[in-house]
Amino acid sequence: MSADNREIKIKRVTSRKRSRDSLKSHLTPLRKRTTASGEQCSDKTGGRPHTRTMGENYSDNEDLFGDYDSILGDSSFLAKIDDAEKNMKQHDIDHKTYIDPVGHHLENPDFTALRPTRDTCVKSGCDDSLTDSILEGLRDDSFRDVPSSQLAFQQEVLQRDEKNRCLDADKTSTPNPERSVEYRNKREETDVAPKARKSMTDHLKRAMLCNAAAPSGVSRTTVQKEAVVTEEISVAMQAIESVSMETTDLGPFFGLPTKVKELICNLKEIKDLYDWQKACLNLDSVQQRRNLLYSLPTSGGKTLVAEILILKELLCRKKDALLILPYISLVQEKVRGLASFGLELDFMVEEYAGSKGRFPPVKTRGKRSLYIATIEKAHSLVNSLIEADRLGNIGLVVVDELHMLGDGSRGAIIEMTLAKVLYLSGSTQIIGMSATLGNVQDLQKFLKAENYTNDFRPVQLDEYVKLKDSIYEVDPKEEECFRFSRLLNFKYSSAMQKMDPDHIVALVTEVIPAHSCLVFCPTKKNCENVAGMICKYLNKQFLQHKEAEKAALLRDLKSCGNGSLCPVLRRTVPYGLAYHHSGLTSEERKLVEEAYSSGVLCLLACTSTLAAGINLPARRVILRSPYVATEFLKRSQYKQMVGRAGRAGIDARGESILILPEKDKLMAKRLVSAPMEICYSNLMHDDGKGVLSLILSLIGLSITTTLEKIRDFMSGTLLAVQESRLCTERSLAEIIQECVTVLKDKALITESPDPQDGTLQVTKLGRATFKGSVDLIYCDVLYRDLSKGLESLMLNSFLHLLYLVTPYDMISQCKPDWMTYFRQFTMLSAAEQKMSTAVGVPESFVARKAAGQTIKKNVDMAVAGRLYLALVLFSLVKETDLWSVAERFQLSRGFVQTLLSSSSSFCSCVLHFTQELEELWAFRALLTELTRRLTYCVQAELIPLMEVAGVMQSRAKQLYSAGYKTLSHLANADPNVLVKTVENLYKKQANQIVASAKMLLNEKAEALKEEVDDLLMMPLDLPSL
């Protein structure tokens, strides 16, 4: 709709009532004439008779146009109409042709519409109408007295339209002469000869008489006012829709309102964007919504660009967005961070991690949703949206750490997810970001994306290596790669030299406690040893640095352990040191991370997983060894670790020091100068398990149902892009054929008996497998275990159900301690021991293993190991004290918590698995409650509080004790009051907790509203006559 067509003016001269007596004439409505009998009034201009009888009731209080003056009361108006008509008649004689709004020459011009559209220009006749030119002649000062709301609306629309026309000036195309001729010929064939133009005055008189004479059962004033309002609303809606189609900009901040910029400043404390961020957001590929890959060094600000693009999708395009992150901790951190944005900008933030997430997601009423998901949950979410035919609602998919495409089975899941989005939703934009991308060309081809790279770092990074007692600067341009920098200046005693041969104490004391330091160690045990060793050689002044804050941290750590405190942390925290690895519980890790970020702790001894997880920068990063476990560092791992050096806004520069033994010097040279590793497709990982899973879900979701279509889909994967390098022994087509055969043999799919048809269909077991995201290796074992369990399901204890949801892939990670096994077995009830025997682990077997005797009976060791893990879970569910359970089974508390979180996730998978199989109906209700118990593993009264992202068990206990006992309490809490009533709670944390609680409450409310809508919805297949 053009600006000319949008011009709507409501003419209002004055608010006074017009005199009725002075206007009585042959144009006066019949109801106003005094007559004794019904008579027929003939309209001499139009020739139409109007009949009215005395029996009909009229109101003398009715005013034909309400507060608007009659145009018949203004004789100058009619004179102007006559003059304009005369001018137009002369114009018709002088100009036989007319150029329509799209540039076409028309022999019979159409002057019919006040607001011409493309359709009316073609279809309308010339009679009974006014032209825009006539109206131009009528625009005098008396018509400018328009309501302010109309003027404001008109000016806004015209300004935005003018802006858009200026922006699009270069894109304007010229008229096509061939189309013009074709158009004119068509008009000549269809148009009829125009009738002689009637007097404009006659037109108006006739219209007034017809309106006045028309019968009405309601007040004419009311009808007229409603008509005017309806017309205004209609025009406004059309104009708004046309403007929204032309531009999605809502404000000056990269198309977003200024409020977004203010929120970023207030909530993230970011006052301005880096130059590269501005350049990236203004790329043509971003403006035109093409797929994009961008890579920058760690801590370069990649995430903020992604968040701005997500907000633009949610607010401007009114589409949902999906953010894929590699770890549960990152998902929870991002949910907490963006919940405040969702509340302020009116969109939902939903967590899909662990056992959390609803498939398909709730249909929010008028609100858009941001789904923040782990890799596995994102795949399940996309599958559920495809099945519900709602994938088109996702306008943007953002993948963080895109280089994880090359990371085993998890990389295969990322590839499956993105391939489905690419194949099914051409309107969905994909953004991939990473600090380490090697073969960008392959990824560009796979994602049909453009690439943006920049080497920007907010803080300069200086890389060094340490050989013996010398420090060398890394310079790949040098022939030797290393250039001598300085000697270490630290006096070591002979005893200290033995304890610290790598001079770690000397390196860390150069920066702590005034600055922060990270020491990356090859193993978890080495992290604890290094932290403890450094403490031995620190002077007593370190104890006085932030002494009160460190004492509070120790209290929190002890509280989260239900009175237990790690002896290493008890010794190191007073010096401002701690270790960080998967052996800590998630609550301990969170407390340590917060203490480090706030400066209470100045040094962390950590494993490489910290580099890929939460962002914890440091002034100096020390790599204790060039190994991760027993494998030499990869280039991508090295860059991630050293990328943590330098804190934006705090440090002027960052330093990394790699401690090298002399024997690894050559390998280290290759490490610092080598290009990034190539990211290969992992669909063929583990004997092609990824391809099997992908084909099964394609058939189950009816994306592809024939071999030919499967090949077509697979041609769009990263595996197809790298076929020449990965499929050396067999072609991709042959691999697909083999996988289809394997799926048939496993009874997961069937083929149509008609050879010409060749349609593939998924079986019930196949559907349950892909909908439950169950590993194909274990799907038949799981079905067998569940079916066998139904025969003698023990319901007076959780043990049997816990055994059935213990993850198969965790069995190999734990070797049973047979004495502990036997002690726990003897404590079971008779029914529980009977159940153990039923699954294949009799008491006699456990007793013989504990005594070290030989075993005559054949017992499946995998079953025995699985039952041992089930006993660990059983103790947790009964006691909810992770520390005591870990000590009893002689396992690290980190492993016990990993087992718990893995079991809750697998329990959710088994639940979805059983929902697709009629014969397993009994498990549905049972597993729903068990999933909830395993997810939180706390007292029932704390579960509503722990549902809030980031609220751990100890914090939930604090909140409950302070009187915040429900989600509603927390959502309506005052952050200032929370800070005062809950110990060691910072204002920022309180704000995030309240915002997350409000978001979760909104999510639950939307789910209930959806249920109400479903109940009240009229059935589409309702029978009718």
Side-chain angles (χ1 to χ4, degrees), residues 912-1014:
H912 288 100
F913 181 87
T914 58
Q915 286 173 343
E916 299 300 321
L917 297 166
E918 283 283 326
E919 60 270 30
L920 301 179
W921 62 270
F923 286 110
R924 296 171 194 169
L926 297 171
L927 294 180
T928 300
E929 176 58 25
L930 185 60
T931 301
R932 181 178 165 90
R933 278 181 173 261
L934 289 174
T935 299
Y936 304 106
C937 200
V938 293
Q939 294 87 348
E941 62 268 18
L942 297 181
I943 290 179
L945 300 178
M946 289 191 65
E947 288 180 332
V948 178
V951 175
M952 302 294 182
Q953 184 175 358
S954 61
R955 184 71 77 198
K957 288 179 179 178
Q958 288 179 314
L959 293 168
Y960 192 87
S961 300
Y964 300 96
K965 300 184 178 182
T966 66
L967 181 61
S968 182
H969 281 142
L970 211 50
N972 292 283
D974 183 345
N976 296 314
V977 177
L978 273 180
V979 171
K980 294 178 181 178
T981 55
V982 177
E983 189 179 6
N984 300 325
L985 182 67
Y986 302 111
K987 180 67 180 294
K988 183 178 180 181
Q989 295 171 330
N991 286 331
Q992 289 184 339
I993 287 174
V994 173
S996 298
K998 287 181 178 178
M999 184 59 66
L1000 182 59
L1001 198 64
N1002 290 343
E1003 185 181 334
K1004 289 178 177 286
E1006 290 292 338
L1008 293 174
K1009 289 175 185 176
E1010 185 188 17
E1011 287 187 27
V1012 172
D1013 288 345
D1014 290 342

Side-chain angles (χ1 to χ4, degrees), residues 329 332 528 553-570 572-573 577-597 601 604 610 614 616 881-884 886 891-898 946 950-955 989:
S329 59
Q332 292 174 340
E528 300 175 30
L553 173 60
L554 284 172
R555 288 197 299 271
D556 287 345
L557 288 168
K558 190 172 183 179
S559 174
C560 76
N562 290 320
S564 300
L565 178 62
C566 171
V568 176
L569 292 177
R570 181 188 289 113
T572 62
V573 167
L577 279 64
Y579 66 90
H580 183 289
H581 57 62
S582 60
L584 294 171
T585 66
S586 57
E587 195 160 2
E588 286 176 318
R589 283 199 299 271
K590 187 169 182 289
L591 287 170
V592 168
E593 289 164 1
E594 289 174 351
Y596 177 82
S597 297
L601 296 176
L604 293 182
L610 184 140
I614 190 170
L616 294 175
D881 185 357
L882 190 146
W883 275 79
S884 62
L891 299 169
S892 74
R893 59 193 183 278
F895 174 82
V896 173
Q897 186 162 63
T898 301
M946 289 191 65
V951 175
M952 302 294 182
Q953 184 175 358
S954 61
R955 184 71 77 198
Q989 295 171 330

Side-chain angles (χ1 to χ4, degrees), residues 183 324 383 524 715 731 758 822 898 916 935:
Y183 183 88
I324 303 175
N383 283 345
K524 289 185 285 187
S715 67
S731 68
F822 180 69
T898 301
E916 299 300 321
T935 299

Side-chain angles (χ1 to χ4, degrees), residues 27-322:
L27 292 175
T28 305
L30 291 179
R31 76 176 83 175
K32 299 295 182 181
R33 299 190 198 177
T34 56
T35 177
S37 60
E39 63 178 314
Q40 186 179 32
C41 178
S42 177
D43 179 7
K44 302 211 182 325
T45 39
R48 287 189 190 175
H50 301 280
T51 305
R52 189 69 68 191
T53 62
M54 283 287 293
E56 294 180 49
N57 296 323
Y58 303 100
S59 172
D60 285 341
N61 294 325
E62 287 184 285
D63 190 343
L64 188 62
F65 288 99
D67 292 335
Y68 288 93
D69 278 353
S70 170
I71 59 174
L72 298 181
D74 187 358
S75 59
S76 64
F77 178 77
L78 298 177
K80 290 175 183 176
I81 291 177
D82 290 335
D83 291 339
E85 283 188 306
K86 291 177 183 177
N87 292 337
M88 287 310 302
K89 287 179 180 178
Q90 183 63 39
H91 180 78
D92 287 345
I93 296 171
D94 296 338
H95 302 279
K96 295 296 183 182
T97 60
Y98 168 70
I99 301 176
D100 75 356
V102 293
H104 300 158
H105 292 264
L106 306 178
E107 302 249 343
N108 295 316
D110 179 359
F111 300 109
T112 59
L114 293 177
R115 298 182 306 277
T117 64
R118 192 168 296 178
D119 292 334
T120 57
C121 287
V122 176
K123 297 178 181 178
S124 300
C126 295
D127 57 327
D128 300 290
S129 60
L130 290 170
T131 66
D132 286 336
S133 300
I134 292 178
L135 289 178
E136 289 293 337
L138 301 179
R139 291 173 183 166
D140 62 0
D141 292 341
S142 64
F143 276 65
R144 300 185 185 279
D145 187 13
V146 181
S148 60
S149 61
Q150 294 291 332
L151 283 173
F153 170 74
Q154 180 190 25
Q155 290 171 1
E156 181 182 354
V157 171
L158 290 176
Q159 287 171 1
R160 294 174 73 173
D161 182 71
E162 183 64 25
K163 179 183 176 183
N164 293 333
R165 281 208 304 257
C166 292
L167 291 174
D168 294 338
D170 295 336
K171 301 179 182 178
T172 304
S173 58
T174 56
N176 188 336
E178 294 181 6
R179 288 185 60 191
S180 299
V181 174
E182 193 176 24
Y183 183 88
R184 184 167 62 250
N185 293 340
K186 185 175 181 181
R187 285 294 308 266
E188 289 174 355
E189 293 172 5
T190 57
D191 284 358
V192 295
K195 299 177 183 178
R197 184 182 301 280
K198 295 177 182 175
S199 166
M200 187 63 199
T201 307
D202 290 343
H203 273 295
L204 291 170
K205 290 178 180 178
R206 174 184 169 189
M208 295 287 290
L209 280 172
C210 291
N211 289 340
S216 174
V218 297
S219 167
R220 193 178 302 277
T221 304
T222 303
V223 173
Q224 188 66 31
K225 288 181 177 179
E226 288 179 355
V228 171
V229 172
T230 302
E231 177 67 13
E232 291 179 14
I233 292 174
S234 175
V235 173
M237 290 302 296
Q238 290 177 13
I240 290 171
E241 288 173 3
S242 64
V243 170
S244 65
M245 288 172 62
E246 293 169 8
T247 175
T248 57
D249 285 358
L250 296 179
F253 185 65
F254 302 102
L256 290 165
T258 306
K259 184 178 181 180
V260 174
K261 185 177 182 180
E262 294 171 355
L263 287 172
I264 291 174
C265 180
N266 296 333
L267 299 177
K268 291 181 172 290
E269 300 178 357
I270 298 174
K271 295 182 179 179
D272 195 14
L273 271 63
Y274 298 127
D275 289 341
W276 85 262
Q277 292 172 325
K278 297 175 183 177
C280 185
L281 288 167
N282 286 314
L283 290 172
D284 288 341
S285 54
V286 172
Q287 301 295 328
Q288 298 168 18
R289 298 191 71 259
R290 295 195 294 270
N291 295 346
L292 176 70
L293 306 177
Y294 66 96
S295 57
L296 282 95
T298 302
S299 303
K302 298 183 296 296
T303 304
L304 181 59
V305 171
E307 289 175 358
I308 291 173
L309 292 174
I310 287 171
L311 292 176
K312 197 168 183 179
E313 195 69 27
L314 293 166
L315 303 180
C316 300
R317 297 194 69 248
K318 302 294 183 183
K319 289 280 190 178
D320 298 333
L322 170 61

Side-chain angles (χ1 to χ4, degrees), residues 632-643:
F632 199 82
L633 276 177
K634 297 178 182 177
R635 172 72 172 169
S636 58
Q637 291 173 321
Y638 171 78
K639 294 300 289 185
Q640 277 193 325
M641 291 181 191
V642 302

Side-chain angles (χ1 to χ4, degrees), residues 521-569:
C521 303
T523 65
K524 289 185 285 187
K525 189 64 178 175
N526 192 235
C527 292
E528 300 175 30
N529 292 338
V530 166
M533 182 269 295
I534 295 174
C535 288
K536 289 182 180 180
Y537 298 101
L538 294 180
N539 59 48
K540 302 302 181 183
Q541 293 178 349
F542 280 85
L543 294 172
Q544 300 169 5
H545 183 72
K546 297 192 175 183
E547 187 175 2
E549 290 90 338
K550 288 184 286 193
L553 173 60
L554 284 172
R555 288 197 299 271
D556 287 345
L557 288 168
K558 190 172 183 179
S559 174
C560 76
N562 290 320
S564 300
L565 178 62
C566 171
V568 176
L569 292 177

Side-chain angles (χ1 to χ4, degrees), residues 153 182 230 255 302 455 677 718 743 804 843 878:
F153 170 74
E182 193 176 24
T230 302
K302 298 183 296 296
D455 58 359
E677 293 86 1
L718 180 60
L743 292 173
L804 293 173
E843 182 183 7
K878 286 194 301 182

